Amino acid sequence: SAVISQKPSRDICQRGTSLTIQCQVDSQVTMMFWYRQQPGQSLTLIATANQGSEATYESGFVIDKFPISRPNLTFSTLTVSNMSPEDSSIYLCSVDVAGDTEAFFGQGTRLTVV
Amino acid sequence: GENVEQHPSTLSVQEGDSAVIKCTYSDSASNYFPWYKQELGKRPQLIIDIRSNVGEKKDQRIAVTLNKTAKHFSLHITETQPEDSAVYFCAASSNSGYALNFGKGTSLLVTP
């Protein structure tokens, strides 16, 4: 299993600014994933982050808008840049643990852009 | 890419009745199918999962069935209780790093 600490848990931000979300795992993991959950919607994968390489982005998401860092095997950050009200969502990080089938989720960051 | 369809979007049952949620997927390479329960304001929690080499899996009141030929899988909850009320998501993965493609979710309401 894995324990994931994600911060901040929530934030209210002004449009045009940026917010960096942190995801810390209590064990080393190969891949970390960032998802977005818009209000009342399902989870959509933003990108997959491997340590030591650039993140792989899904269709509709670009690095300039959602830059991701993965400096080591236990930590990743997602930045939401130049925010607009449409970016108001819950952002969740997720990890897979080698030898375990379950994907574990952080508690999420509830972002409101005003 | 993978496309996961989930039905119904809302489901209301009486306490004690059964609930069934169905999902279909498009990518024949998908081989891992988890189900998540998400209560309001909380993170998704895995409730059961199944791999493609198994047709059915059961855990107490919850069961999942998989038909690889038809590319569909279903969640069955028996003897439903009010605390089962939540949003349920199905997902599929091709096991390539466990990136999950989610269905749109089913809001289940169990009324006493």
Side-chain angles (χ1 to χ4, degrees):
Chain A
S1 67
V3 176
I4 304 171
S5 174
Q6 188 176 336
K7 5 183 230 188
S9 58
R10 59 178 63 228
D11 207 342
I12 300 173
C13 300
Q14 295 288 326
R15 68 177 67 201
T17 62
S18 298
L19 175 72
T20 295
I21 302 167
Q22 299 180 3
C23 184
Q24 178 76 52
V25 191
D26 68 343
S27 58
Q28 293 184 342
V29 295
T30 303
M31 293 194 177
M32 298 178 77
F33 308 94
W34 288 97
Y35 291 87
R36 180 176 73 182
Q37 188 173 27
Q38 294 176 301
Q41 303 296 316
S42 185
L43 288 81
T44 301
L45 182 66
I46 297 172
T48 301
N50 275 337
Q51 191 266 336
S53 63
E54 292 227 348
T56 303
Y57 289 83
E58 297 299 305
S59 176
F61 298 96
V62 294
I63 188 171
D64 289 346
K65 176 67 175 176
F66 297 102
I68 287 171
S69 78
R70 182 81 201 274
N72 56 54
L73 291 173
T74 64
F75 187 77
S76 178
T77 67
L78 169 75
T79 298
V80 186
S81 303
N82 188 25
M83 290 184 285
S84 67
E86 293 71 37
D87 294 320
S88 298
S89 292
I90 298 173
Y91 293 85
L92 299 116
C93 68
S94 172
V95 304
D96 72 296
V97 178
D100 198 323
T101 58
E102 179 174 352
F104 298 89
F105 285 89
Q107 70 269 38
T109 296
R110 183 179 294 272
L111 170 63
T112 302
V113 183
V114 297
Chain B
E2 175 65 276
N3 182 43
V4 179
E5 300 278 347
Q6 182 172 347
H7 299 280
S9 57
T10 61
L11 180 60
S12 182
V13 299
Q14 292 272 340
E15 182 177 2
D17 288 349
S18 295
V20 180
I21 303 170
K22 298 181 179 182
C23 288
T24 61
Y25 61 98
S26 61
D27 187 353
S28 57
S30 291
N31 58 7
Y32 175 62
F33 308 93
W35 286 89
Y36 285 84
K37 175 183 181 182
Q38 188 176 34
E39 296 174 323
L40 193 63
K42 297 188 176 181
R43 78 187 82 185
Q45 295 278 2
L46 180 75
I47 56 172
I48 196 167
D49 57 8
I50 193 168
R51 291 203 166 271
S52 58
N53 57 347
V54 176
E56 184 174 359
K57 184 176 178 180
K58 189 173 182 181
D59 183 2
Q60 299 183 343
R61 297 187 296 110
I62 296 173
V64 56
T65 58
L66 171 66
N67 183 327
K68 279 218 71 174
T69 303
K71 294 185 193 162
H72 67 70
F73 56 112
S74 300
L75 177 71
H76 305 253
I77 306 174
T78 58
E79 302 170 28
T80 53
Q81 301 164 3
E83 49 266 39
D84 294 329
S85 297
V87 179
Y88 291 81
F89 293 100
C90 64
S93 169
S94 62
N95 206 26
S96 56
Y98 298 103
L100 296 170
N101 294 284
F102 284 85
K104 292 190 181 300
T106 297
S107 179
L108 173 64
L109 177 64
V110 181
T111 54

